Amino acid sequence: MLAFLQRSRTCSISLSACLSRSLRGTSGCILDSIPPSCHGRLRRLDVRLEASDIFTQLRLHFPAPALQVLTLQCEIYNGVNICHHPTLFQGETTSLKAMALLHVRHWLPGNRFPNLIHLNISYFFMEELPLTVLTHLLANCPRLESLHLGQVWSYARFDLDVAPPARPVQLLNLRSLSSCCATLQAISALIAALILPKDIRIRIHDSPVQQHTTARENILPSLDFMRPLTTLELAADNSRLYLLAESDDGAAAVWIQATWDGREPSVWHDWLGYLHEMLALPAVRTFHVSVRDWTVVPPLLERMTALAGLGIMAIPDDHVHEYMVSAICAVLEHSGPIACPDLATLSIQLNSTPSIRDIIRMAARRAEYDCTLTHLILDNIHLPGAMQETISLDEHEQSALAVYVEDVRIGGGGICKWEQRSGWDVQVEHWRLPKGDEPHSVFPWGAGCVESRA
């Protein structure tokens, strides 16, 4: 390697060194062999080290003023005295733009990273560290635009320390915050500890909700600081939850995919009861919903005063639709004041033809209060593997609806599409996330679901 460095003269250097268990310490020795005259030419370093290489041998204690990309994997901690905030590269990291920290589970660097744009902390198992250790690092990254946390705070612990820092950390340039397998409780605490911009996309993927925690402990803090989120998609059964809320232009969004780890009753009934504390529901104009427990939906609709389009869809394996239809119709026909006064489009998707008595009564009541529906769609569930019969109404039923609704369509496509949204996560040219961490949709209906990727 020394010969290569000499021949490269003044060229920039990218170095990758991997520790082999059979050649323990190899990567440390390679770092030792870099002449001081080459430190200023190092642009990228991808290295796998033992903890002793960092804390005892000090093999990352040389200046790297031109280093732009760092991937550091740190393993084998036995018998090593560890500092929680070590300073790497003698503090000379002003040029660093992208940093990935893998398996560095007992510590985070204490450097100031004034130009860091991308930060990836993965496979960290940070249960041993309090939230304040992470916020200490984030406070040193004022220009950060994308933050990914993979397998961070992912295990059940009763003593998880998510106490907030003394002061919230400002990350006003952050455009993308994503996590994979972190508990919803931990991510909620992290967001509460940050001051974020109005245009940010927050993705919380494969997040466990632990049975020893309460619904309120897992609700995100208020997202009122974000640009108004006008579109909301919600799907939930007793175990899984899918939630996606976006602004008109998509610059602001929150996407949650979470799983309840406990027994019945599910946490989602109570969790959704707090949803208005997280999201500004009066801003929602389009709402698509498919849930097992329809009692959670009327309280949400009562707060959606600007709602213009509502799509409701039965869970594909649910063949009993009477309560779903009656619950929605009851809240939409309720007077004093009438719910969702601007509602123009109602789409209902089921496995079989419903009784339309409640629908006719609701449409008539809304027309009486000058809140007439413009479009009513009755359709099947368009998901692979959904067992269903064709929706059909007789001539009398269609005529009764036509009295109160301008446009009645039977079939032809309900508005609940459950499609992947594009543009998630800032693209980082220096690495790709593991396949499981990349954006993809997992809906509660299991076998009827086709996972889609961004």
Side-chain angles (χ1 to χ4, degrees):
M1 186 183 74
L2 182 59
F4 164 78
L5 294 175
Q6 292 172 339
R7 288 197 302 270
S8 63
R9 299 178 185 276
T10 60
C11 295
S12 301
I13 302 169
S14 294
L15 177 62
S16 178
C18 180
L19 169 67
S20 169
R21 288 186 178 273
S22 61
L23 298 172
R24 188 163 295 172
T26 300
S27 54
C29 295
I30 290 174
L31 295 177
D32 291 342
S33 66
I34 301 176
S37 59
C38 295
H39 291 164
R41 295 196 282 129
L42 189 61
R43 296 294 189 273
R44 174 165 187 156
L45 177 61
D46 302 312
V47 63
R48 179 177 175 183
L49 294 170
E50 292 184 11
S52 60
D53 285 319
I54 296 172
F55 295 99
T56 304
Q57 304 299 330
L58 298 178
R59 282 174 170 141
L60 292 181
H61 196 60
F62 57 87
L67 186 66
Q68 296 181 2
V69 182
L70 172 65
T71 302
L72 175 59
Q73 181 167 332
C74 180
E75 298 183 347
I76 312 176
Y77 288 83
N78 295 340
V80 179
N81 213 2
I82 290 173
C83 168
H84 276 209
H85 301 294
T87 298
L88 306 180
F89 304 107
Q90 298 180 4
E92 297 269 351
T93 49
T94 56
S95 297
L96 198 65
K97 296 180 179 179
M99 180 167 63
L101 302 173
L102 313 178
H103 292 283
V104 286
R105 63 185 182 185
H106 292 288
W107 60 278
L108 286 174
N111 297 57
R112 177 75 175 173
F113 298 104
N115 293 303
L116 192 69
I117 302 297
H118 307 293
L119 176 60
N120 174 8
I121 304 175
S122 290
Y123 304 103
F124 200 79
F125 310 114
M126 255 176 60
E127 286 74 16
E128 295 121 351
L129 293 182
L131 172 63
T132 50
V133 174
L134 176 58
T135 56
H136 182 274
L137 170 60
L138 297 178
N140 284 322
C141 306
R143 293 189 59 194
L144 200 64
E145 295 183 10
S146 73
L147 170 62
H148 178 73
L149 304 172
Q151 301 281 355
V152 174
W153 292 314
S154 55
Y155 289 113
R157 280 178 64 94
F158 290 90
D159 58 348
L160 184 64
D161 185 354
V162 291
R167 290 185 299 275
V169 175
Q170 286 196 19
L171 292 178
L172 297 181
N173 293 304
L174 199 66
R175 294 185 290 137
S176 172
L177 169 59
S178 61
S179 71
C180 181
C181 299
T183 65
L184 200 53
Q185 179 192 18
I187 295 301
S188 298
L190 172 61
I191 293 173
L194 303 177
I195 298 175
L196 299 170
K198 65 179 181 178
D199 288 335
I200 184 173
R201 296 168 73 84
I202 300 172
R203 178 174 69 88
I204 304 169
H205 175 67
D206 200 14
S207 182
V209 175
Q210 299 157 345
Q211 61 181 343
H212 66 270
T213 61
T214 66
R216 180 172 287 282
E217 287 174 329
N218 288 281
I219 197 74
L220 298 190
S222 172
L223 301 179
D224 283 352
F225 65 87
M226 298 174 72
R227 189 181 298 275
L229 304 176
T230 56
T231 298
L232 175 61
E233 293 185 354
L234 171 64
D237 61 10
N238 294 333
S239 174
R240 290 164 292 184
L241 175 126
Y242 170 98
L243 183 148
L244 175 63
E246 291 185 298
S247 63
D248 285 341
D249 60 2
V254 58
W255 181 9
I256 301 173
Q257 298 186 112
T259 303
W260 166 239
D261 283 348
R263 301 176 180 176
E264 298 294 339
S266 170
V267 72
W268 300 127
H269 181 279
D270 292 342
W271 191 89
L272 289 168
Y274 297 123
L275 189 62
H276 66 280
E277 299 181 11
M278 181 180 96
L279 297 178
L281 296 181
V284 175
R285 295 199 299 271
T286 302
F287 182 33
H288 298 169
V289 57
S290 177
V291 292
R292 185 77 70 185
D293 179 6
W294 287 94
T295 64
V296 302
V297 178
L300 302 180
L301 291 175
E302 289 173 351
R303 297 177 182 273
M304 295 182 182
T305 53
L307 191 68
L310 172 61
I312 64 172
M313 189 189 85
I315 295 285
D317 65 358
D318 190 350
H319 294 276
V320 180
H321 307 132
E322 285 77 7
Y323 187 77
M324 166 184 146
V325 174
S326 63
I328 299 303
C329 288
V331 68
L332 292 180
E333 72 180 51
H334 179 70
S335 57
I338 199 162
C340 310
D342 297 330
L343 186 65
T345 300
L346 173 61
S347 170
I348 304 174
Q349 292 171 255
L350 320 98
N351 293 313
S352 59
T353 303
S355 168
I356 67 163
R357 181 180 64 255
D358 291 337
I359 300 175
I360 294 172
R361 186 177 65 245
M362 175 271 297
R365 180 63 63 89
R366 294 187 69 84
E368 179 183 339
Y369 284 88
D370 198 27
C371 297
T372 303
L373 285 175
T374 304
H375 307 287
L376 174 64
I377 305 165
L378 295 175
D379 197 11
N380 287 123
I381 298 170
H382 297 287
L383 291 173
M387 302 299 294
Q388 55 202 354
E389 62 183 51
T390 303
I391 303 294
S392 63
L393 300 182
D394 61 32
E395 185 176 338
H396 173 73
E397 291 172 324
Q398 293 194 50
S399 298
L401 285 172
V403 173
Y404 306 110
V405 183
E406 295 180 20
D407 174 35
V408 179
R409 283 185 283 163
I410 311 302
I415 64 176
C416 291
K417 304 297 185 183
W418 307 108
E419 296 173 336
Q420 173 74 57
R421 293 294 188 270
S422 61
W424 279 93
D425 293 3
V426 172
Q427 295 299 312
V428 181
E429 62 180 306
H430 309 294
W431 59 68
R432 285 195 62 178
L433 295 178
K435 185 177 181 180
D437 287 21
E438 290 181 336
H440 64 285
S441 299
V442 181
F443 299 105
W445 32 83
C449 160
V450 175
E451 292 190 15
S452 53
R453 296 186 177 269

